[in-house]
Amino acid sequence: MSLDTTVSGASATSYVTLDEVRANLYGPALQAWDSLSTKDEQEAVVRAVMDEIECQFYNGARFSSTQALRFPFAEHYETQNNVKTPYIHPRVKKACFCQIEDRLLNGRMNDAFSYRDRGITSLSLPGSVRSTFSNKNVTTRSLLCTKARSILAPFFVIGSIAVRR
């Protein structure tokens, strides 16, 4: 089954097309992408990444109540001839490309787990994004590579309360 990239579509399955993925990968990631022998294998990678991105907790309302995917949000539209035309935010597409790259290069272990395994306890990235890797329970955010997590940070639900007994 091919990917449906219809923006705010009721049967959409991806934010990015296979051609967009290929155009946004470089070096070893592009070589790994090109080494996938069939279109079905490429689509499988994109679908796996979509599952990882879609299972996150986001702070925002969907553009349409019938859309299958979480993005676009209600504020992600352009007005053309008095018609609201939704779009996928560039950050979301970029996060998809980073997550696909991470999956191709690191297999099933994303970079957050590899940092933890190497004894790195924290990492600071531009945009005041900080990730801590040790003594931390695995959450849905742990599924995302550090770059994708930092790119999607403005959309995440923040301020959770934890009760410890």
Side-chain angles (χ1 to χ4, degrees), residues 133-148:
F133 305 112
S134 65
N135 300 327
K136 188 174 182 182
N137 293 334
V138 175
T139 65
T140 56
R141 279 202 201 145
S142 300
L143 297 173
L144 296 179
C145 71
T146 307
K147 286 189 272 186

Side-chain angles (χ1 to χ4, degrees), residues 56-60 70-71 73 75-76 88-93 95 141 148-158:
Q56 304 301 314
F57 296 106
Y58 298 109
N59 188 22
R70 192 69 173 97
F71 292 95
F73 287 160
E75 65 270 15
H76 298 155
I88 302 301
H89 196 284
R91 281 181 168 272
V92 176
K93 286 187 176 252
R141 279 202 201 145
R149 195 177 326 155
S150 67
I151 291 167
L152 291 174
F155 303 122
F156 287 142
V157 171
I158 52 174

Side-chain angles (χ1 to χ4, degrees), residues 17-132:
T17 66
L18 298 180
D19 290 336
E20 287 177 312
V21 172
R22 187 168 196 300
N24 286 279
L25 294 179
Y26 305 95
L30 180 58
Q31 291 172 351
W33 179 258
D34 287 341
S35 72
L36 297 173
S37 58
T38 66
K39 183 179 171 183
D40 289 341
E41 287 179 328
Q42 293 174 338
E43 287 180 0
V45 170
V46 173
R47 286 178 193 277
V49 164
M50 289 304 303
D51 288 343
E52 294 164 352
I53 290 175
E54 285 295 298
C55 77
Q56 304 301 314
F57 296 106
Y58 298 109
N59 188 22
R62 295 173 193 240
F63 180 82
S64 165
S65 62
T66 60
Q67 72 189 46
L69 300 176
R70 192 69 173 97
F71 292 95
F73 287 160
E75 65 270 15
H76 298 155
Y77 67 88
E78 298 171 335
T79 304
Q80 299 171 353
N81 299 329
N82 291 329
V83 176
K84 290 181 179 178
T85 305
Y87 65 89
I88 302 301
H89 196 284
R91 281 181 168 272
V92 176
K93 286 187 176 252
K94 180 68 175 166
C96 289
F97 303 137
C98 289
Q99 191 69 12
I100 290 168
E101 176 182 347
D102 184 69
R103 182 170 273 271
L104 290 169
L105 297 179
N106 298 320
R108 295 187 146 278
M109 175 185 270
N110 73 29
D111 60 354
F113 293 125
S114 66
Y115 286 131
R116 184 185 298 178
D117 289 345
R118 287 185 277 168
I120 298 171
T121 58
S122 65
L123 183 68
S124 295
L125 298 170
S128 301
V129 174
R130 183 179 168 110
S131 293
T132 306

